Every structure is written in C-alpha cells, then in structure tokens.
Amino acid sequence: MKSYSLLIDGAPVTAQASFESEDPFQGKPWALIPRATAQHVDAAVEAAYRALHQGPWSGFNATQRGALLRRLGDLLAEHSETLASTEVRDNGKLLSDMRKQLSYEPQVFYYYAGLADKIEGSLLPSDKADILNFTRHEPVGVVAIITAWNAPINLLAKKLAPALAAGCTVVVKPSEHASASTLELATLIEKAGFPNGVVNVVTGFGDEVGSPLVSHSKVSKVAFTGSENTGKRVYELAARSLKKVTLELGGKSPNIVFPDANLENAANGVVAGVFAASGQTCIAGARLLVHRSILEEFSERVKSVAAGVRMGNPMDLDTELGPIANRQQFEKIRQYLDIARSDGAELLLGGKRAERPECGDGLFIEPTIYARGDNQMRIAREEIFGPVLVIIPFDDDEQAIAIANDSPYGLAAGVWTNDMRRMVHMSGKLQVGTVWINTYRAVSFMSPFGGYKASGIGRENGREAIYAYLQTKSVWLSTATNVPNPFIMR
Ligand code: TXE
C-alpha cells in the first residue's frame, strides 16, 4: 500500500500511527495516511508562527510571494495527471472530471499571484492639521485550513492561494476520507521553494487533529469547508479565542423550471446539477421545482436523461457517474433512501444501490428521483450529498420563490426561463449566494462564492476573498512641530 508523510516545518514527518484509505471503486484499502496527534498540530502551528514572524517569509515582498505562487501553479500543472489519478483512486472522482478540474486549478494560483502586489492601503483625507492618516493591509496571522473530502484540491486551492498572497502562513488539515492528494500537493509546495513552515500539512481525524488546530492559541483564522454540524462546532471552538472564520457549508439548492424555458437544456442542466460527482457537491441542485403545467412532461424528460447516465469505472473517460466517495457516505445515502420510503415519497427512478455489472463491488447508488414531493419532507430539507433528486411542483412565480427560500440553506439556485423580467425578479428574490440562469454549476476563481443563511459565512474566490486573510491597520503620523494639549482629543 502507498504511504505518506506529514509536512511540518519544511520536512516530511512520519506519524507513529496511520489509518487506511479505501478505494471506493475497488472497495479495498489502497493507502496509509499518517494519523497525526495534538503534538504534531502544535509543532505545525509553531512552525507556521515562526515562519510568519521570524523566518525569511516575513521579509518576502508581495512580488516575491506572487512569484512563488506562480511557480506552485506551474508545478500543479506539471503534476496534474498524477494528482488526478490519486483523486480517482482515493475518492472515486471521475478521471475526466479531475483532468478538467486540475487543468483549471493552476489558474487559481496565478490569479492570486497577480493580486499579491495589488493589496493597496490608502491615504485618507484628514480633518486634523499636520497629521497623515493611512491604512495598511497586513496578514491576519497563522491560518488553519480545514477541508472536506468531496473536492480536496479545489477546496484547498481557493483558501491557500489568497492566504499566501496575503502573506499568511498556514496549517492544512484535509478530510480523513481523502487526504492523499493534499499530501502529494505538499511535496510540490516544498519544490516551489516556499520557506520552511509557511505551509504545513497534518492529517487525521476531526477530534484528534481538527479541534486542537482550531483551538490553538497561535492560530488567528480558520477557513473551513464541510458539513453544517461540523461548521457550527468549528465556529464555537474558534469563538472561544475570538478567531476569525470563513465557513463554506452545505446546501439544498433549488433548480426552478418555468414552462417558457428551453426544456431540453433545462433537463440536461437539472440532471448534471444533481448527479454530477454523484451528487457529492455542496452546490448540488437537489430540489427540482417545476411549474405544475409541465410537471408530468418535464419529470419524464429528466427521468429519461438520468436513466441514460453511464455508470462504472471512474478511470474510464466515458463514465458519467462514479462511486460514492467513502463507505460512511454510502451508508448515509442509503439511510436517506429508507427515510424517503417511510415518508411515503413517490419513487420515479433508482432508489437503491447500483448492482450493474460495470459497477462491480464499488459503492454505487442508482441515480434516484422522487416525484411530486413536498418541501417539508426530510429528503427536501436535509443535505443528502448523493445522487438524489426530489421534484416539487409550484403554481406561480411567488410560490416558487417561497418554496425555494423555505430552506435552512442558501448556497445557490438555478432558474430556467426565457423571460427577462422573470430572470431579474428571481435573481433579486432568491436568498442564496449564487444564482444561475439557464445554466448550472458555473464557478470561477474570479467570482465570489459563498452562502446565505446556514450555508456559510464569508466569501471565497474573487478579489474579495483576499481580504478574509488580511487585517486593516490605521496609521496616524503627525508632522506637527508643537505637540498640542494631550488631554484634549484631537
Ligand atoms: O464532513 P465534516 P465529513 C456533508 C455531507 C457529508 C457530511 C459528513 O453531507 O455526509 O458532511 O462529511 C474536520 N474540529 N458535507 O465527515 O465532518 C474533518 O476531519 C475541526 C458537505 O467529511 O464536516 C474534515 O477535515 N475540524 C460539505 C472537515 O472537518 C473537524 C462537504 C469536514 O468534515 C472537526 C463535505 C472538529 N471538531 C461534507 N470535526 C459541503 N456541503 O460541501 C471534523 N473536522
């Protein structure tokens, strides 16, 4: 089995214990991941703290930081094929999808490399004689980056690149279900030439590694992607020492289809929106809201597209639906299929483990659709994170908005219509961080991404994201020759 090391203070470190990572297509363990402890966390944070305050990194100017980020982007591009196949092996991702994703990921580093030397303070107008007042944006400190298993490199890149561009140092903890690609990326960080301690990687479990990392007194900020419950726990732990946080949490995003839409495009968009990555994306369009006048026709259309989806070996380039990433998640989805049954949901497609020959012993779930659902059902309210769609009818625009917004989450929504007024109206009324109109799953490092309501705090991607890793200092500089009466506020 393949084995990996932690990265602490620029050196590979072996942990005394390790745990197995399973290949979800083969259904067998394939790699040994180091099981770090609170001592490793402490060593990693101390290294990051030293690098921030004493090491050469503190003397790097923005241009130099940008150059290192560009170098890291280049290395990522050079090693994209290896990283892609690791993700397929470790996480059941499709090779075709990973190749596309990894060809894109270097751009994230180039984008923030370009932004590093555009962090500008300002000279502010002053209402006090002989005083200059200016602002500086300084790194927020040591950042703890905690990621989920569904897209390890992508979730890491959009935190790591702005954090390093801002001049922070970091300790990364990937999910215990998919740590291999992050550990491989760690070796590229060394190769790129970042000074020791600027980036550290510790792997292991939430309570053993995640909690001590979030609670560490020398960590100033936590950037987290994961489930709502863990997000709340992380927020509570961070609050104890008043750390800054950004949280990217779950969703139960609606795709809303009106009768005037191009229904063929809409059906394809809806199917890709929920079944891509086997539904294991925070932006999965897991609720399909359909106007009642086209309910039967459109449900059948979606069913027929979904029924034709190709399942099988994630290494085959024409596979469209791969296995569920890990056994725990597989069991969780199966529980939701039981819940749907006992709640009396009307099954239109799937609803069970896939036992097709091309799926072998892998952890596959059939693309599943429930018809004529109700927004109060658990399968319509809770994030399943699997290939499960629930169809909910509506009668008019206002009802569609009310149903869409009747959710604890507010990550994203899709709207399918050709009516310009409706597009503008819906985009204003939907309580979500991203609205897609006649498309779905379009994301870019150039565009802010994040959630309303329980879907998160703060934004990733785009220019705005870099300010989550900076803090503003206001500097007052007096040129007065006579010091005025210090007991009177100026
Ligand atoms: O996520 P967790 P998991 C959902 C999805 C899935 C469920 C559980 O529904 O079924 O979450 O997945 C670390 N302090 N999403 O277990 O638990 C943990 O080790 C600090 C939705 O992967 O949220 C991992 O690195 N850290 C989501 C990270 O937090 C802790 C994406 C996320 O773990 C910790 C992934 C603690 N006390 C899963 N406990 C989305 N919507 O994108 C755990 N961790």
Side-chain angles (χ1 to χ4, degrees), residues 278-292:
S278 302
Q280 302 166 109
T281 66
C282 50
I283 52 177
R287 290 186 292 156
L288 168 57
L289 276 49
V290 186
H291 191 271
R292 206 177 294 276

Side-chain angles (χ1 to χ4, degrees), residues 147-149 173 175-176 210-211 224 227 230 250 282 329 332 383:
T147 54
W149 46 263
K173 191 210 109 42
S175 165
E176 56 273 35
S211 292
F224 172 87
S227 63
T230 309
C282 50
Q329 184 61 24
K332 179 180 162 187
E383 185 180 46

Side-chain angles (χ1 to χ4, degrees), residues 263-264 266-272 275 299-310 320 349 367 369:
L263 296 184
E264 191 184 341
N268 287 329
V270 165
V271 167
F275 297 125
S299 302
E300 279 308 315
R301 226 184 238 269
V302 170
K303 176 183 168 180
S304 108
V305 180
V309 162
R310 279 188 299 272
E320 294 169 322
L349 185 71
I369 304 177

Side-chain angles (χ1 to χ4, degrees), residues 86-369:
T86 297
E87 209 67 275
V88 178
R89 199 81 208 274
D90 202 33
N91 213 1
K93 304 289 283 186
L94 299 182
L95 182 61
S96 53
D97 191 25
M98 282 320 299
R99 278 189 177 156
K100 183 78 205 286
Q101 225 189 74
L102 281 159
S103 68
Y104 193 70
E105 240 40 89
Q107 307 294 329
V108 180
F109 290 93
Y110 302 148
Y111 177 84
Y112 286 103
L115 214 49
D117 56 7
K118 289 158 198 75
I119 303 166
E120 295 167 352
S122 17
L123 179 65
L124 302 169
S126 174
D127 51 2
K128 302 174 199 320
D130 304 325
I131 283 196
L132 284 180
N133 178 209
F134 60 92
T135 54
R136 306 163 56 111
H137 298 291
E138 298 181 345
V140 75
V142 175
V143 178
I145 296 180
I146 300 180
T147 54
W149 46 263
N150 58 317
I153 296 290
N154 173 270
L155 300 179
L156 173 59
K158 59 191 184 185
K159 298 171 179 58
L160 184 62
L164 295 176
C168 295
T169 58
V170 305
V171 179
V172 182
K173 191 210 109 42
S175 165
E176 56 273 35
H177 297 297
S179 304
S181 57
T182 302
L183 290 164
E184 287 179 12
L185 184 81
T187 63
L188 304 183
I189 286 163
E190 284 185 87
K191 260 194 205 158
F194 283 91
N196 292 351
V198 172
V199 180
N200 306 271
V201 181
V202 284
T203 51
F205 298 93
D207 50 350
E208 293 174 2
V209 180
S211 292
L213 178 57
V214 173
S215 310
H216 200 290
S217 62
K218 289 185 176 160
V219 167
S220 298
K221 186 214 151 75
V222 183
F224 172 87
T225 298
S227 63
E228 184 193 345
N229 282 341
T230 309
K232 285 179 181 161
R233 173 88 187 117
V234 164
Y235 199 18
E236 278 168 19
L237 286 175
R240 290 184 193 169
S241 44
L242 292 172
K243 293 179 170 53
K244 292 160 180 63
V245 291
T246 38
L247 302 174
E248 205 267 276
L249 308 175
K252 195 74 190 178
S253 299
N255 237 321
I256 309 168
V257 181
F258 289 94
D260 64 45
N262 176 326
L263 296 184
E264 191 184 341
N265 288 351
N268 287 329
V270 165
V271 167
V274 65
F275 297 125
S278 302
Q280 302 166 109
T281 66
C282 50
I283 52 177
R287 290 186 292 156
L288 168 57
L289 276 49
V290 186
H291 191 271
R292 206 177 294 276
S293 65
I294 53 163
L295 181 64
E296 301 306 322
E297 175 202 350
F298 192 71
S299 302
E300 279 308 315
R301 226 184 238 269
V302 170
K303 176 183 168 180
S304 108
V305 180
V309 162
R310 279 188 299 272
M311 301 179 82
N313 188 338
M315 280 288 188
D316 290 346
L317 292 179
D318 52 2
T319 297
E320 294 169 322
L321 199 87
I324 301 306
N326 56 72
R327 205 165 284 277
Q328 186 182 313
Q329 184 61 24
F330 178 71
E331 293 308 333
K332 179 180 162 187
I333 298 167
R334 295 222 289 187
Q335 276 170 20
Y336 272 104
L337 301 179
D338 290 343
I339 290 168
R341 210 169 296 123
S342 58
D343 283 355
E346 184 183 325
L347 185 66
L348 190 64
L349 185 71
K352 57 183 173 56
R353 177 180 194 157
E355 279 157 349
R356 310 177 186 197
E358 60 271 33
C359 296
D361 293 329
L363 308 174
F364 287 84
I365 300 277
E366 287 286 347
T368 296
I369 304 177

